[in-house]
Amino acid sequence: MTEEPYRWLEAMGNRREYVLNQVKGGSPVFAVSLEAGVLLLGVGSGQSKVFEIFDRHALAGLGHPADLERVRQMLIDAAHLEAFTRAPEDVTLRRLVSFNLSPQIKTVFEQLFAPPFLVRLLLSELGATRDRDSLIKVQFDGTYSLAARGLAVVAADPADEAAVEDWLTRHLPATTEPGLAIDTLLLAWRHLAHGDELPEGELPTAKPDLAGLEIEAALLRRSTMRVARFETIPAR
Amino acid sequence: MSPPPTIAGDFFALLAQHRISPPHVHASAAPVETQATTVFAFHFADGVFVAGDRRATAGNVIVTETVEKVIELDSTSLLAIAGVPATAFEMARALQTSFEYYRRSQLQALSLPAKVRALSRALRDNLGLTLQGVGVVAPLFVGLDNTALPARPQIYFYDPLGAQFEAADFSASGSGSTTVRSILAFQQRFGSPTPARMTLREATRFALQTLMVAAEFDSATGGVAPESARFATLKWLGQDGIRTLTVTEQAEALS
């Protein structure tokens, strides 16, 4: 299969198609940089979508739970080793992604006879101010991109993400209180997961139907004396 | 991808896997030690109060008056260090990282008995320096027992070889501890209120006055001097976690 360039490209294409097909039913995740901190949200079955990685770092993702768990553990290991051997301030999202996570995911993706990571990821880093927050999307093949607008959406179908990000940019100002931001993100979640229309003008106040799933929301809080900034937000 | 650690959530196993270990100092001759301290902890009405002076000495030289000897290991654990700072601070740093590593990787906090034993193991691993007399550490540990309802803060003290003991009422360590133990024992037996019944303000005042007296008898203990804005490190652990008392709060308690 790998002896001819065309076959290799074809195999890669098949693999890409396979992964996208596998994550098709995944529940979308969101990260928004607010004045209060970085808010992450997923809708799942509890402790399955949004995770603390380090003092100022968090992960949200969709895909196979076992692969998400492998990625989570990989990031936690790398962050704590770096913090211990150097200093917690040296743990940065850019280095975690570009020197640890991305190369490992790419290597696994290109090993044709090994199972790829069935995940799409959203990583966040809390900065001292909002303009220093970082949100990075990481794909199953190791490619990654920095979210430039202070918010990022990872959905089962990447083609849906841009429109929802546009809508959120218009309806979610940075001064929004995290609890209210969750309500807006849930409208976007309903749109991506169940095809509901995205409302324009005044947003509805009724809580959307979550189909028996739980809201998993966490805030990397900017103004706190605690070293570990991650805190889960209970569903209202 | 690196294989998983042999014991899930064990940060020291992860360090060993990557051939990294907390630094060990091999001393052949005793250098001048930087040590001597007074730290103590006692139960009061709202939880456990922990106090430490801020002086570090090397022989008869005062090195600094701004050392933090009461260290937050995580949101429900405090370590009060007495002994050689180089070893004690490194021990605290390793424990801080390992407790947080466990909590994040296992999605639950380490239990209080496991934290108590982790410190015991760190002291045992330091046996070489302890026996050479250049790395002795005799800490106090304060943690929250979440298995009790309501959650109960507890005090543990250690010998330099790692033996651990729970203190029912109070404990003290460091060169000024003899004085502090006498004051605490007196207050426990004859005082009113007893330490366990003190309010936060009473406990703060009592802790600062105790440090003042300890500094009278031990030159290696930094005193408290409100007139020159020199105070202590005071923290307390309650059911909701750790709180640090600011310089302003300490000054108010003495006024």
Side-chain angles (χ1 to χ4, degrees):
Chain A
M1 186 184 291
T2 56
E3 69 275 18
E4 297 172 33
Y6 172 72
R7 290 215 171 196
W8 191 83
L9 288 174
E10 187 184 26
M12 282 291 119
N14 290 343
R15 205 167 165 81
R16 196 172 296 278
E17 201 173 304
Y18 164 74
V19 177
L20 283 172
N21 199 40
Q22 290 295 307
V23 299
K24 202 165 58 183
S27 174
V29 291
F30 306 84
V32 190
S33 173
L34 302 170
E35 297 289 346
V38 178
L39 175 70
L40 296 103
L41 180 128
V43 178
S45 50
Q47 288 196 335
S48 62
K49 310 292 286 182
V50 178
F51 303 100
E52 179 181 12
I53 297 298
F54 195 64
D55 295 347
R56 295 173 295 110
H57 301 86
L59 161 75
L62 62 83
H64 196 291
D67 287 337
L68 203 52
E69 180 57 30
R70 283 165 71 199
V71 167
R72 186 182 76 86
Q73 196 64 52
M74 194 195 300
L75 286 165
I76 289 175
D77 285 2
H80 287 76
L81 279 171
E82 177 71 10
F84 185 76
T85 50
R86 295 197 173 93
E89 291 77 6
D90 293 303
V91 179
T92 61
L93 191 57
R94 184 185 62 80
R95 295 178 66 236
L96 276 179
V97 170
S98 50
F99 305 144
N100 274 283
L101 186 62
S102 171
Q104 293 197 58
I105 292 183
K106 182 177 185 293
T107 302
V108 171
F109 183 73
E110 289 177 348
Q111 286 173 354
L112 290 178
F113 298 103
F117 283 102
L118 304 177
V119 287
R120 300 192 63 231
L121 308 164
L122 182 47
L123 288 112
S124 58
E125 176 179 80
L126 180 77
T129 54
R130 192 174 160 269
D131 59 341
R132 293 192 181 178
D133 292 342
S134 296
L135 308 175
I136 298 181
K137 292 183 192 182
V138 182
Q139 306 301 337
F140 51 82
D141 59 358
T143 55
Y144 58 92
S145 55
L146 196 68
R149 291 187 287 183
L151 61 86
V153 178
V154 167
D157 187 349
D160 295 338
E161 291 170 4
V164 175
E165 285 172 0
D166 284 343
W167 183 82
L168 285 171
T169 305
R170 291 198 304 278
H171 290 88
L172 205 50
T175 49
T176 311
E177 185 264 323
L180 291 174
I182 288 175
D183 293 345
T184 310
L185 291 176
L186 287 176
L187 293 172
W189 181 83
R190 277 289 309 184
H191 169 75
L192 289 166
H194 297 284
D196 290 5
E197 282 294 312
L198 284 173
E200 290 298 337
E202 196 170 330
L203 300 181
T205 51
K207 298 281 176 269
D209 178 16
L210 300 178
L213 295 171
E214 289 177 27
I215 299 170
E216 295 179 31
L219 183 71
L220 290 168
R221 190 173 288 283
R222 211 179 304 281
S223 56
T224 174
M225 294 298 285
R226 288 182 299 108
V227 174
R229 305 301 186 91
F230 184 94
E231 56 185 68
T232 53
I233 302 179
R236 297 196 304 169
Chain B
M1 180 171 316
S2 56
T6 46
I7 305 166
D10 185 351
F11 183 64
F12 296 104
L14 181 71
L15 287 179
Q17 201 177 79
H18 288 262
R19 299 172 191 275
I20 304 165
S21 58
H24 294 285
V25 181
H26 302 285
S28 56
V32 177
E33 299 170 43
T34 308
Q35 60 177 46
T37 282
T38 298
V39 289
F40 56 98
F42 58 91
H43 286 276
F44 78 115
D46 295 335
V48 168
F49 201 95
V50 190
D53 79 302
R54 303 191 64 183
R55 176 173 290 180
T57 55
N60 59 354
V61 175
I62 296 170
V63 178
T64 173
E65 295 276 16
T66 57
V67 180
E68 294 281 344
K69 299 174 187 175
V70 183
I71 300 166
E72 294 179 31
L73 296 182
D74 64 12
S75 62
T76 58
S77 314
L78 286 167
L79 182 71
I81 55 173
V84 177
T87 315
F89 285 127
E90 192 58 18
M91 227 176 248
R93 204 170 71 85
L95 290 173
Q96 269 170 340
T97 314
S98 72
F99 289 0
E100 286 298 77
Y101 176 75
Y102 181 92
R103 184 179 65 77
R104 286 172 179 138
S105 65
Q106 304 301 300
L107 298 172
Q108 65 177 53
L110 201 60
S111 69
L112 179 60
K115 289 177 184 174
V116 169
R117 281 183 208 129
L119 177 53
S120 182
R121 190 171 75 171
L123 290 165
R124 234 179 11 253
D125 289 348
N126 188 48
L127 187 61
L129 288 183
T130 302
L131 291 176
Q132 288 180 64
V134 293
V136 183
V137 179
L140 304 178
F141 178 81
V142 174
L144 195 62
D145 180 6
N146 281 310
T147 60
L149 275 176
R152 201 161 59 93
Q154 294 183 357
I155 306 169
Y156 292 87
F157 60 99
Y158 293 76
D159 76 6
L161 302 185
Q164 76 221 16
F165 309 93
E166 185 182 347
D169 302 309
F170 61 83
S171 189
S173 188
S175 56
S177 64
T178 314
T179 309
V180 169
R181 266 201 294 269
S182 302
I183 296 170
L184 279 161
F186 177 87
Q187 190 71 21
Q188 180 74 24
R189 193 161 174 191
F190 305 110
S192 180
T194 60
R197 291 181 181 279
M198 286 179 181
T199 63
L200 177 60
R201 189 184 166 88
E202 286 168 341
T204 306
R205 187 180 175 85
F206 174 66
L208 290 169
Q209 289 173 337
T210 301
L211 274 174
M212 286 175 179
V213 176
E216 294 274 328
F217 294 97
D218 176 32
S219 62
T221 293
V224 172
E227 64 280 2
S228 51
R230 199 170 74 225
F231 290 95
T233 304
L234 302 182
K235 293 178 189 280
W236 65 278
L237 174 66
Q239 286 167 24
D240 298 327
I242 295 165
R243 256 211 59 205
T244 302
L245 286 135
T246 62
V247 166
T248 312
E249 287 170 317
Q250 294 186 37
E252 279 171 10
L254 281 177
S255 62

